[in-house]
Amino acid sequence: MLKRKIAEILRKIHLLQLADSALLIIERLRNYFPNRRFSLQNPYFKTPPAHLAYDAYNHVRWQTYHDMGRRHAELIADLIKKHVKEQNIKIFEWGCGPARVIRHLTKIEGFRKIDIFGADYNKESIRWCQKNIDSISFMTSQLKPPLPNPIKDFDCIYALSVFTHLSERMHYEWMDELLKALKPDGILIFTTQGDIFKNRLLLADREKYEIGQLVVKDQIQEGKKHFSAFHPPDFVINHLLKDCVVVQHIESPTSYSLEQDVWVVKRPIVV
Ligand SMILES: C[S@@+](CC[C@H](N)C(=O)[O-])C[C@H]1O[C@@H](n2cnc3c(N)ncnc32)[C@H](O)[C@@H]1O
């Protein structure tokens, strides 16, 4: 709790981003030997620059980047196998960062030859992906919609921990945009910070959460990891997804090493 209170003070005085740069140095030192060992054991696994990983994941541990990335790719693959009946499917990861998850998808049985696209508004992450990750088309998007032009007609779009860094208004704008980029029967998979996170909120925010309102911790650049949104399921179902078909909601699937809630949705049924 003390850590959270300090973060709140730093947020209010606009020093959270600066403090983060100092913490990155500590994080790199802390992981120096484990990361060296990982790189020696996995010489062909390219790791992103530390500052890009830290910006996206708040850690710089290559073993975790690898293992959790693989596990989360398996989650996405399992949901696609369950909910998408088409063959030769087209997949898009929105907010792919430095490829933690998407890089594993092409190695999963049944996903080796499909068309996979990734986008992020962080240009540097996308440049790194384009240079280092094969068999996937990467492109830069913007913080606000629309998506770049060729991005449409997907059987599956997924976004892991991306809505978690947006303002309320952008939740609605992006939900609209992503649904439009799906094929009529395609699925959107996205994650939210649901009930498991509510005990980590300070009192006033928790009260807001308890009455079903989206909690947004801002005062920092939108889209960045410390710009953080918390999503009561009531808000997601009754507001964000008001007109969508909720295909599946999985609360904190810890068997996939994920604390965030997972939602699988389809476009609204047109009558
Ligand atoms: C917590 S990281 C998650 C990265 C990746 N989805 C993963 O699970 O490894 C959040 C990512 O979303 C990206 N992001 C945030 N807002 C975005 C937006 N409006 N459009 C595209 N990417 C965005 C950030 O640049 C960052 O790479």
Side-chain angles (χ1 to χ4, degrees):
M1 196 48 94
L2 180 67
K3 227 166 128 187
R4 254 163 262 145
K5 283 191 174 147
I6 294 171
E8 275 317 289
I9 294 168
L10 290 171
R11 183 189 298 279
K12 283 201 179 111
I13 57 175
H14 301 281
L15 286 181
L16 197 49
Q17 200 64 50
L18 193 69
D20 217 41
S21 312
L23 289 173
L24 168 59
I25 298 171
I26 298 170
E27 179 68 8
R28 290 183 74 159
L29 289 174
R30 213 160 59 89
N31 288 292
Y32 179 77
F33 289 110
N35 281 349
R36 238 184 93 189
R37 202 174 324 120
F38 176 88
S39 297
L40 286 172
Q41 286 166 354
N42 302 275
Y44 300 110
F45 189 85
K46 292 176 182 162
T47 53
H51 70 282
L52 290 181
Y54 196 63
D55 184 60
Y57 319 122
N58 211 27
H59 73 75
V60 181
R61 279 187 303 279
W62 302 137
Q63 191 73 55
T64 307
Y65 168 85
H66 173 277
D67 296 353
M68 294 300 108
R70 170 78 198 189
R71 196 69 192 121
H72 296 165
E74 285 164 359
L75 165 70
I76 298 299
D78 289 348
L79 288 171
I80 292 174
K81 284 178 195 157
K82 183 170 174 192
H83 296 293
V84 179
K85 301 291 165 245
E86 301 293 315
Q87 303 287 311
N88 302 321
I89 59 171
K90 212 169 117 180
I91 300 176
F92 168 47
E93 177 171 2
W94 175 60
C96 62
R100 184 185 69 98
V101 176
I102 200 168
R103 65 188 298 163
H104 295 282
L105 264 187
T106 48
K107 314 222 164 27
I108 292 177
E109 195 52 49
F111 289 79
R112 294 207 169 102
K113 289 194 181 129
I114 58 176
D115 289 334
I116 305 184
F117 297 76
D120 199 289
Y121 85 105
N122 185 325
K123 294 189 186 71
E124 216 188 326
S125 286
I126 292 300
R127 265 199 304 273
W128 181 81
C129 291
Q130 287 167 333
K131 277 196 194 139
N132 293 284
I133 308 292
D134 295 333
S135 315
I136 296 172
S137 308
F138 289 100
M139 60 199 76
T140 307
S141 53
Q142 303 299 320
L143 186 62
K144 293 182 179 176
L147 285 166
N149 238 341
I151 290 287
K152 59 179 180 198
D153 295 329
F154 290 99
D155 299 279
C156 172
I157 298 178
Y158 69 94
L160 294 180
S161 194
V162 185
F163 281 100
T164 48
H165 304 290
L166 296 180
S167 60
E168 182 159 0
R169 181 161 159 218
M170 279 254 258
H171 273 72
Y172 293 107
E173 291 184 10
W174 273 114
M175 183 56 67
D176 235 37
E177 179 70 6
L178 296 175
L179 291 170
K180 274 195 285 186
L182 285 174
K183 283 183 183 164
D185 207 33
I187 57 168
L188 168 65
I189 302 168
F190 68 98
T191 63
T192 56
Q193 302 198 93
D195 285 352
I196 205 167
F197 291 87
K198 73 179 171 190
N199 290 334
R200 302 178 200 176
L201 293 173
L202 299 178
L203 189 62
D205 290 331
R206 189 173 169 166
E207 283 172 2
K208 202 172 165 197
Y209 185 99
E210 295 285 11
I211 57 169
Q213 289 181 8
L214 182 74
V215 173
V216 178
K217 307 300 295 168
D218 47 17
Q219 293 174 301
I220 202 156
Q221 195 191 326
E222 188 164 6
K224 289 289 173 200
K225 70 180 175 207
H226 291 302
F227 190 110
S228 214
F230 298 86
H231 310 78
D234 268 6
F235 163 80
V236 180
I237 294 168
N238 298 321
H239 296 277
L240 186 60
L241 301 177
K242 185 164 64 70
D243 301 316
C244 300
V245 179
V246 177
V247 178
Q248 195 175 358
H249 171 208
I250 317 166
E251 273 180 64
S252 303
T254 42
S255 57
Y256 284 97
S257 308
L258 187 62
E259 284 192 309
Q260 295 188 9
D261 283 10
V262 178
W263 300 83
V264 184
V265 301
K266 286 192 174 182
R267 275 153 65 153
I269 298 164
V270 184
V271 280

